[in-house]
Structures are given as structure tokens and as C-alpha cells.
Amino acid sequence: MLDDIPQEEYLLKGNTACAGCGAMLALRYILKAAGQNTIIVNPACCSTVCQGTYPKTAYGVPVLNIAFAAAAAAADGIASARRNKGKNIIVFAGDGGTVDIGIQALSGAIERNANILYICYDNEAYSNTGMQKSGSTPYGAITTTTPTGRKDSKKDIDLIIMAHRPKYMASASAAYPKDLYEKVRKALTIEGTKFIHVLCPCPSGWRYSTEKTVELGRLAVRCGMWFLYEYEDGKVKLNAPTKAALKRPAPLADYVRPQGRFKGVNLERLQKEVDEEMDRIRALAGIENAKEASE
Amino acid sequence: MKKMATGNQAAALAVKESNVEVVAAYPITPQTEVVETIASLVETGKMNASYIRVESEHSALAACIGASASGARAFTATSSHGLLYMHEMIHWAAGARLPIVMANINRAIGPAWNIWADHSDSLSQRDTGWMQFYAATVQEVYDTILMSYRLAEKVCLPAMVCLDGFILSHAIQPLDVTPSGDFIPPISLPHALDTKNPMSYGNLTGPNDYFKFRRMIHDAMKRADKECREVEREFAERFGRKYGPVMEYRTDDADTIIVGMGTMAREAEVAVDLLRKEGLKVGSMRVRQFRPFPRLGLEGKKVVALDRDCSYGAGGILAQEIRFHHDVPVYNIIAGIGGQDVRYEVIAELVRKARPEGEFWLGVD
């Protein structure tokens, strides 16, 4: 199934990521999809650290590291220089740099239809600084700034992005690398702003043992905590794993139990949120999809 | 070609003449005319550049940084709060050694709201690694931007060209827009992002390397002082207009020197003429190049420093620079803040009453 994915590696060995890092798993496939003709823009986030320390770098493509709030604008600056026509300009930004501090620059870039691919790798907290609450932290999750669990709910960046009507938008998961690879490939054929939101489990922040990254990434989709879909021409198209999950979701407890961050969560309230989100995504995908899902 | 232009228009025309590839800007009074003029030049096909209408000044400079890091020539313009909003990226541009040129239209900072001339905005960016030049005529705005691109790309440091809000930005004066020819060669950045030779810029750096990079900025700034003389010499040969780090006026036999920046220092030249008629041996020095700070040759002189700014609790910033670099007593006049009208008669009167040392706030003391 992974046969057509290139052998070339642009995320090199010896990078300084944590063991089991979902973001680096995602980045590995994103770079395989994008290839050599790519410039990465990194705001402050885990991946600035994962590159390793000067004079070495673990990325096989050029990288411009930039201030936290500036990634989308800096990428637009690169894309706007005629000399960079035909190059893949990709922002690789964490959830904090996307849904919180970087949202203004991102909003501006989509509005201008900047010719960039913006990827938000979402580990649902400020993981680089040691796991503080971000706008993307889900209800009930323990972080160092929500030590008894977050009391309010995750900001839905996807709906905010969709309101900008970008050329292409997708959600993906590090646990579905082939799907992610294909979405990146597709996005890079489209002129204008593309946005891909990738769930990237984080063993140290979510407090689970490192070998469970893929398992938890898949469970997030199966229990309806994360959806896989694409938004194109004003329409939402659900991908197969999410269609299946909407039909028969896995028990939420299977996803929540192995994670230390959900210790003491009110599972009933979380389930209520998940149910509401599932209804919302059904509505977004259109009534036909909702019927398909319940058939 | 001679024409009439405002300081803002001169800035825009110099950007066109410098073959800038990417312009990113957000409007703010009194800078707006710069970005409006550039937008019009780009949209009517008179200027071959990408113009990015960003949503904030932070993004304006971030976009310039992206463009410049990929090897393109970039420009932005701002003023006052816009410059302050850019502050983080101001550091980033210099730290990344990107030769971006910016026009800053000097304006006061709130509260209270005040849109008039004041040097507090650009001087608050003094220690960021940007070269800073202060123009006093429309022609000088144009010429300084041309020279800044040459210089910035030689030493890999960004440059800020400052002009007083309204007094210069909106004043109409004659402007010679002779084509620059090959005075500014095609840009070639040694560390441009290159997909064929991938490098990471701005990633984690240990203390020792980081320390070395900081020293390199300091060394480049010192080198810029020498390189700038070379650029000015070549500019004078080609275009016949001579500039230096300091524009001296009737200083040869002067025992008292008025030192200032921007339009207030031009006004001081008229005050010098008035005082000379009274038999007073007064001259003036207008500091054009504030960073790197030049040697002024003030030894043995009585110095009157005119500041359109204040570092609260310490006094005028220009006065402090003079005291740091020269062992001379300085009488510091703080005037013109927030666009306060400072005419040459007033400057002359202040010089007549000047004590050897001390501080005086016009209209307050």
C-alpha cells in the first residue's frame, strides 16, 4: 500500500525529536510528498528544535525559521518573489502557532490566496515549552497550565479556515501516512492557499508510552475525536475511516484511557462534545453523507 | 528628470528605481502615501514588483523577511505604532542578516494619539542591528534609499531611512529622479534559501555560536561605516550630490556647534546664519547616519544637542550618543516632540541662552 511513496528521505536520521513523535512522522511523509523543490517555513514550535542544533540540520530541504506569529506572512513573502515560482512553499507550524498567535497572519495569507501550503501539526498543546494549554487543547486534557484538566473546549480552527474559503483544505493524521501523503501531493498541484490540519499524537505531552502513537492516532479517528476529510469547491468530503467511524464509533474510553492527560476527565461531557462534533461534521458533509453514514 | 514631489513620493520613486522585487506594507499615517504610490506604480505596470497587502505591520516585515531570505530585494514602509508593532521582526531581519530597506516616517507614539513628527519611534529601535539614516530634504530621501540598498547588500544588514512626518513626508520640493543605472547591481545574497543546497536558517544555536553571530553583526555595523563612505563617494561621482555621515554647516571656525537630526537640524542651519549675523561663532552638524554612529569631531567645542525624542529618566538620545562618543559638555535641548513647531528664531534664542551643560525642554522649562 505504501509502495508508491518515494524511498527518498528528507527528514534525516539523528534529528532531535522525542521518541514516538507524531509530528516528525507526519513531516517525514509531507517531505516525501513535496520532494526536493521545497522550502519550509517554521515558526517557533517543536520542529524548530527537532531540526537539531547549528551547524547541523535534520531537514534535507531549506528551512527558514521565523518568529511565532510570522510564519504565514513570511511564506507569502517567499511565494511572492518571482524567483520562487514553481517551488513548494510549505509552512510547518504547530497548533499554538496556528490557532493562537499565528492566526492573524494565517487569516491574511488565505484572504490574499497566497500560493503556500500551510500545515498545522496539532499535538493539542504548546508541547515545545513543556505542554501548556493551547487553543487546540481538548476539553478535559491536563496540561501544565490546566493542571486539573481544561474546563472549556478546543477552538475549531477548521471552521475558521473554511470561512475564508481556501482553495483546498484537509484534515489528516500522522497515523494515516498514505492519506496524508496523498493530500499533500494533491494540495501541491493547486495554485493558491492550501491548509492541512494534521493530528499528531505526542507521547510526552499526552502521557502515553511511545509505541502507541499510531494506535492512538487511529483511535482518535475511530472514536470521533478527529475527522478525516477534504474541503474543496465549497464542499466537505469525508474520507473512508471517518465515514466508518460516524457509522459505528469506537468507545471513547478506548482512546481516553491510555492517556495520562485525560486522567479524571468527565467522560460523559467529553462524549457529549464528541457527539455534537459528529453531528456537525455530518451536517458539513451534507445530508446525503449523513444518510450514507447511518446506512 | 526634475519634478516636484513629496518626501513620501520620493521614497516610492526610489524604491521603483532600486528594482525592488517584493513590497509588503500596511498603511499608517503619515506613511500611507508611500504605499499608495507604490501600489499605483505596480498596478499600472510602471514598476515590476509583487505588492503584498498584508494585514499588519508584523506581517509586512515578516513577508519582507521571507522574500529577502529567498534572495529577493524587499521594501516596506511604516511609522510610529507600525514600527513598534514590527519590533520583533525588526530584530529578526537584522539577526538573519537580511538587507531589507525600510522607510520610516517619524511620528509620535501614543498615548495620547499624535500623528506629528517625533523621533521616538525609530530611536526606540536603536539597538536592533538596523542601520539608521535621517533625511532632511525630499532629494535626500530619494538618494538615501538608493544608497541604502547598495550599502545594505554589501554588509548584509537592514537599513531604515527616516524622514519627519508631514514636515518632510508631505512637503513638496524639487526632486531629480535621474535613473540609477547600474549604481545598484542585481542582488546576490550569499545565504539565500536554495533548494539545491538546503540549509536551515534561524534554528537552535548554542551559546558559543550565537555569541559569535552577535559579534558578527557588530563587526558588520562597523564595516558599514567605512563602506558607506565608499557608496557616498561613488554616488557623488555619478549623480553630483555629496553626502556624508554628518552634514556640517559653517563649522570651520565655530566655537558652538548645534547638533541635530532630520528637518529640525536643517532649521538649525538657518538659525546659524542668524546668529552669525550677530557675530556669534556658531555652526551646525546634522547627523544623517545615526547607526553606525559616526565620529563628529566636537572636541573643544560647546555643543548644543537638539533632540526630538527623550529616553525618559536619561534625557535626549542624540545627546547621550554625543556624550558617549565625545568628551565634551553637552547642553541638551529637547524640542519638537509630537510635532511641536520649532522655528529657526526659537533655535537661535535657545542657543543664545544655552548654558555649557544641562537640559532644557522647549515650552515646558
Side-chain angles (χ1 to χ4, degrees), chain A residues 95-96 99-101 122 124-126 132-138 150 152-157:
Chain A
D95 47 291
V99 313
D100 294 334
I101 195 171
D122 192 348
E124 301 189 320
Y126 290 98
Q132 295 79 35
K133 177 248 153 198
S134 87
S136 214
T137 301
R150 182 174 179 174
D152 38 26
S153 307
K154 179 168 178 143
K155 190 195 283 187
D156 194 336
I157 188 70

Side-chain angles (χ1 to χ4, degrees), chain A residues 54 57 63 80 82-83 104, chain B residues 21 48 50 56 71 200-201 204:
Chain A
Y54 171 87
T57 173
V63 185
S80 296
R82 270 183 296 278
R83 63 186 65 210
Q104 174 178 301
Chain B
E21 217 173 311
N48 189 16
S50 297
S56 77
S200 276
Y201 291 114
L204 259 189

Side-chain angles (χ1 to χ4, degrees), chain A residues 63-95:
Chain A
V63 185
L64 176 66
N65 288 280
I66 197 80
F68 217 172
D76 191 7
I78 299 174
S80 296
R82 270 183 296 278
R83 63 186 65 210
N84 297 321
K85 214 170 163 47
K87 287 177 193 158
N88 302 319
I89 315 300
I90 303 179
V91 174
F92 191 63
D95 47 291

Side-chain angles (χ1 to χ4, degrees), chain A residues 36-39 48-49 51-57 59-70 73-74 76-78 80-84 87 104-105 108-109 112, chain B residues 21-22 48-50 52-56 58-59 62-63 65-67 69-73 85 88-89 92 187 193-195 198-206 209 213:
Chain A
Q36 187 71 70
N37 191 33
T38 299
I39 294 173
T48 44
V49 175
Q51 287 160 50
T53 313
Y54 171 87
K56 297 191 175 176
T57 173
Y59 289 10
V61 295
V63 185
L64 176 66
N65 288 280
I66 197 80
F68 217 172
D76 191 7
I78 299 174
S80 296
R82 270 183 296 278
R83 63 186 65 210
N84 297 321
K87 287 177 193 158
Q104 174 178 301
R112 297 188 297 274
Chain B
E21 217 173 311
V22 177
N48 189 16
S50 297
I52 316 177
R53 294 154 195 85
V54 283
E55 78 298 332
S56 77
H58 193 279
S59 285
I65 287 169
S70 71
R73 191 171 284 148
Y85 200 39
E88 182 187 25
M89 306 318 294
W92 207 281
I187 183 169
L193 294 164
D194 181 3
T195 51
M199 306 254 189
S200 276
Y201 291 114
N203 60 329
L204 259 189
T205 313
D209 286 318
F213 290 149

Side-chain angles (χ1 to χ4, degrees), chain A residues 230-244:
Chain A
E230 288 168 284
Y231 169 88
E232 225 177 340
D233 302 322
K235 289 191 184 75
V236 168
K237 189 185 111 192
L238 302 179
N239 302 127
T242 284
K243 277 188 190 169

Side-chain angles (χ1 to χ4, degrees), chain B residues 123 126-127 261 287 289-296 298 305 307 315-328 330:
Chain B
L123 290 178
R126 184 186 65 175
D127 303 328
M261 296 200 296
V287 176
Q289 177 191 301
F290 181 75
R291 273 293 177 278
F293 198 79
R295 292 290 305 176
L296 300 181
L298 291 166
D307 267 291
I317 294 168
L318 180 62
Q320 289 177 56
E321 292 282 337
I322 296 166
R323 287 184 186 119
F324 177 75
H325 289 93
H326 304 83
D327 188 18
V328 285
V330 176

